[in-house]
Each structure stands twice: as C-alpha cells, then as structure tokens.
Amino acid sequence: MKKKITIILALSALFTLTCFTVFLLHSKDASLVFPSLPQQVVKGSRSVFGKMMDHIRVKKIPDVSRKTAATSAQPAPPLDPCPDSPLSLVGPLLVEFETIRSLQWVRNQLGSVLQQGGRHKPPDCTARQKVAVIIPFRNRYEHLTHWLYYLHPVLMRQQLDYGVYVINQDGDGAFNRAKLMNIGFVEALKEYDYDCFVFSDVDLVPIDDRNLYRCSDHPRHLSVAIDKFNYRLSSVTAFGGVSLLTEEQFLKVNGFSNTFWGWGGEDDDLYNRIIVRGMSITRPDAGIAKYKMIKHGRDLHNEVNPENAVKTKKTAENIETDGLNSLNFTVKEILKDVLFTLISVDVQAP
Ligand code: UD2
Ligand code: MN
C-alpha cells in the first residue's frame, strides 16, 4: 500500500514538473516567470535560458522598440551639415497683412512643428548656424502675429537652428529699441549657444525666402529693399530694420548704445560702431532682399528724439563705455509660448 502511494506521489510530482516546464517554454511574458532575470541575459546570453528568453522577447517586443532601446543607449551619429543653399527654398512669396490672424490661429497652424519658446532645427541635417532672432517689442501684437505666421516657415526652409525672442519693454516709459536688442542678446545666450543674432523690427516681413537669415564675415544688413521706400535702399549707411551680427562681431562693437531713448539714431550709431571697429557691412542683392513693412503710425512714447541725432556724431567717444558693458535691466517675466519666448523687461527708462 505504502509503495503504491509513493509511486502515485512520485508520478504526480513528475507530472507537475513537466507541466511547469511546458508552461515556461510557452509563456509569453518571461519576466513574469523570471522577474529578476538580468537584462543582459535576455539580450545576449548564449545559455539555453538566454536563447529561449531572447526568442520570447523578440516575439513580445517589435523590432522598432528594440532599435529604440539600442539607440537610446548610444548617442546618435552626427548628421551631415545642411547644404549651403537649402533645397527647400521657394523664392518670391505672397505676403499680405489684410487677413486677420489671431495668435491662437497661428499656433494651430505651426505649433505642432515647433518646440516651446519658438525653437526649431532641421531634423535631417546639422544647421550651419545657431541663430537667435531678437525682436524689440511693445504693444504690437497684430504685427507680431503676422511676423510669426510668415517668418517661422521661412526660417525652417532656410534650415536654421533658431529661436525667436520677443523682448517686451515693460511700462510706458520712453521706448528704447537698442537697449532691448542688447537685452535680447544677453538673455538668448543664457539659453543656448547661439552664434548669430538677427535684430529685427516686428513689422518687417521678407517677401523672398532666398534672403538667408544667416551671419557672414561682416555685419549684414538684410532689409535692403522695403515697399515703404519703393524697394530702394534709403541710404548707403542704412543699418536699421533687419541686421545680423555674429556673437563676436556684436561683442567687438560693445553691442548697441543703451542711451537712445525714443525714435531714431540707434541704427546709425550701430553702423558707426561697426566702422569704428574696422569692419564693413554686407548686403544681399536688392532683387532678393525685399520686404514689406506693416503699415503703422508713430507709437505712443516713441516720439522722435532730437538728441539722438546729435549723439550719432559721438559714437567713437561712447563706444568704449556705453553698450553691453554698461547694460543694466531687470527681467520681470519670461513666458514660453510655442511660437516665441517673450521676455518682459524693465529698461529703467528716465
Ligand atoms: C526705423 C528703422 C528701425 C529703427 C527705427 C528708429 C528701418 C527699416 N527701420 O523704423 O530699425 O531704427 O526707425 O528707432 O530702417 N516698437 C514696438 N513698439 C513701440 C515702438 C517700437 O514694438 O511702441 C518696435 C517694433 O519692433 C518696431 C521697431 O521698434 O518695428 C521700430 O519702430 P518703428 O517701426 O516705429 O520705426 P520705423 O518704422 O520708423
Ligand atoms: Mn516700422
């Protein structure tokens, strides 16, 4: 009798063991069975269990996720540099400001391809330059909306690694475009290793995307032919509107002067600084560097300041002590929109 019971027990134990082994071999989720199995065994062991688990894993995890897991461990290989002449450019553009556009509508149009703060870089090549676009701003939301709607696609097609910085003057003291530009330069550099700075009015939209927002060996003036001036350069020394300097060039001239309150003169003073520091300016061909300026009157608290014209005669005296090295301001707020970074600042207006 005892012998029979022992045989029955032995047989049932053998049966249970066999069932368990079969379950192991066909189990879909190996981790349930071997929760503490180290990852490398699953991936690469040549042991019988290892091979078995690998097989199970392959079934469970589709190839794509295996690839992702593999690439996330190693840095992606560097992309080739973007072509010198981007292939996606289209040339002349249709630009009009009659259509009423809201910021939300522009967000809906472009938001999905941008990164927070109005940033973008080409997905398939390494951009030739890292470009910060600085816009001096106060109370021109309608202009900003048009600008963002038209410029983002242009900058993307130009394959730049770029960010848009709207520097908003807080309060209603005298406007100071130049100081806002200096602040934009300093603040953008805190965020990213930009090497080229575009200083652009909010109301200027290019009408040809071959006009590249890229720095060159000398400071560059892009807004050559504006509709407001019948597409003619207003003067050979003009440097207002849209101008570009590398970090090195901007440091060399000590940035803009901080002391041009109200309208006028700060662009001429920057031109003088460039000449005083032994550089010259370059411009694209007038047939390409064409712009439309959104129509506007003179803003409140940005009246013509006659003192500014006088000051442009003294650039050489002031360049050493008035500029980036004497800049003081207070950041009131930094707001990250998908279309831009808005930095509100107290410029300490007199
Ligand atoms: C000219 C220059 C500009 C600048 C200015 C004198 C060109 C094409 N443009 O522009 O670069 O030298 O004269 O300061 O040469 N802004 C605001 N809110 C304000 C006031 C100004 O956002 O309340 C900003 C805005 O980005 C605007 C820019 O400052 O585009 C220049 O002011 P403007 O448009 O009134 O001056 P404008 O067109 O005479
Ligand atoms: Mn203007």
Side-chain angles (χ1 to χ4, degrees), residues 129-234:
Q129 293 189 9
K130 289 173 275 184
V131 181
V133 185
I134 316 289
I135 301 177
F137 184 83
R138 184 166 68 187
N139 199 24
R140 294 255 200 129
Y141 276 98
E142 195 190 316
H143 293 191
L144 181 62
T145 307
H146 291 304
W147 190 96
L148 293 163
Y149 173 69
Y150 283 116
L151 264 293
H152 272 302
V154 168
L155 299 172
M156 282 185 231
R157 287 201 297 276
Q158 295 188 355
Q159 296 184 309
L160 304 166
D161 177 1
Y162 73 91
V164 174
Y165 295 84
V166 178
I167 315 299
N168 176 50
Q169 182 169 332
D170 189 59
D172 52 13
F175 195 70
N176 191 328
R177 176 180 179 272
K179 196 167 180 181
L180 293 171
M181 299 301 203
N182 283 344
I183 295 169
F185 173 82
V186 170
E187 289 297 312
L189 273 179
K190 284 182 190 168
E191 248 192 43
Y192 192 50
D193 184 21
Y194 290 109
D195 41 37
C196 174
F197 295 81
V198 174
F199 299 101
S200 174
D201 284 0
V202 73
D203 52 26
L204 285 172
V205 174
I207 56 173
D208 193 312
D209 66 4
R210 291 170 294 177
N211 187 11
L212 298 177
Y213 278 52
R214 253 199 233 157
C215 286
S216 60
D217 291 347
H218 284 272
R220 193 159 173 84
H221 184 227
L222 291 195
S223 49
V224 177
I226 306 177
D227 61 346
K228 185 178 171 178
F229 307 115
N230 297 318
Y231 296 107
R232 273 198 291 264
L233 191 63
S234 55

Side-chain angles (χ1 to χ4, degrees), residues 71-342:
T71 45
S72 67
Q74 289 167 345
L79 297 167
D80 288 339
C82 297
D84 194 32
S85 303
L87 303 171
S88 40
L89 300 180
V90 297
L93 310 169
L94 278 173
V95 172
E96 52 78 22
F97 309 119
E98 279 74 47
T99 303
I100 296 170
R101 305 178 172 106
S102 73
L103 260 185
Q104 189 50 49
W105 182 79
V106 180
R107 280 187 200 108
N108 294 344
Q109 302 293 309
L110 304 170
S112 62
V113 287
L114 293 169
Q115 272 155 22
Q116 204 64 7
R119 302 274 299 266
H120 188 269
K121 60 178 171 185
D124 46 3
C125 57
T126 303
R128 289 185 169 252
Q129 293 189 9
K130 289 173 275 184
V131 181
V133 185
I134 316 289
I135 301 177
F137 184 83
R138 184 166 68 187
N139 199 24
R140 294 255 200 129
Y141 276 98
E142 195 190 316
H143 293 191
L144 181 62
T145 307
H146 291 304
W147 190 96
L148 293 163
Y149 173 69
Y150 283 116
L151 264 293
H152 272 302
V154 168
L155 299 172
M156 282 185 231
R157 287 201 297 276
Q158 295 188 355
Q159 296 184 309
L160 304 166
D161 177 1
Y162 73 91
V164 174
Y165 295 84
V166 178
I167 315 299
N168 176 50
Q169 182 169 332
D170 189 59
D172 52 13
F175 195 70
N176 191 328
R177 176 180 179 272
K179 196 167 180 181
L180 293 171
M181 299 301 203
N182 283 344
I183 295 169
F185 173 82
V186 170
E187 289 297 312
L189 273 179
K190 284 182 190 168
E191 248 192 43
Y192 192 50
D193 184 21
Y194 290 109
D195 41 37
C196 174
F197 295 81
V198 174
F199 299 101
S200 174
D201 284 0
V202 73
D203 52 26
L204 285 172
V205 174
I207 56 173
D208 193 312
D209 66 4
R210 291 170 294 177
N211 187 11
L212 298 177
Y213 278 52
R214 253 199 233 157
C215 286
S216 60
D217 291 347
H218 284 272
R220 193 159 173 84
H221 184 227
L222 291 195
S223 49
V224 177
I226 306 177
D227 61 346
K228 185 178 171 178
F229 307 115
N230 297 318
Y231 296 107
R232 273 198 291 264
L233 191 63
S234 55
S235 125
V236 284
T237 61
F239 202 61
V242 184
S243 24
L244 284 70
L245 290 92
T246 62
E247 180 185 4
E248 197 188 337
Q249 291 160 0
F250 201 61
L251 290 173
K252 200 168 174 182
V253 298
N254 197 15
F256 279 87
S257 160
N258 297 307
T259 58
F260 284 74
W261 301 97
W263 189 94
E266 85 298 336
D267 49 345
D268 298 328
D269 185 71
L270 183 61
Y271 177 83
N272 294 343
R273 285 174 178 238
I274 290 162
I275 303 303
V276 167
R277 287 287 179 254
M279 294 182 281
S280 55
I281 64 165
T282 64
R283 292 194 181 98
D285 192 273
I288 284 175
K290 293 168 89 173
Y291 280 81
K292 280 195 178 177
M293 189 193 278
I294 307 168
K295 289 194 173 55
H296 64 82
R298 186 81 69 229
D299 299 274
L300 262 182
H301 311 295
N302 193 30
E303 289 78 28
V304 178
N305 183 349
E307 283 175 33
N308 289 354
V310 179
K311 213 174 281 161
T312 58
K313 307 273 180 275
K314 297 181 178 162
T315 307
E317 285 169 45
N318 300 332
I319 185 168
E320 212 79 60
T321 53
D322 170 18
L324 288 172
N325 64 359
S326 64
L327 179 65
N328 48 44
F329 63 96
T330 316
V331 173
K332 306 284 279 188
E333 189 185 22
I334 300 182
L335 201 148
K336 290 279 175 188
D337 192 283
V338 72
L339 298 172
F340 54 86
T341 297
L342 183 90

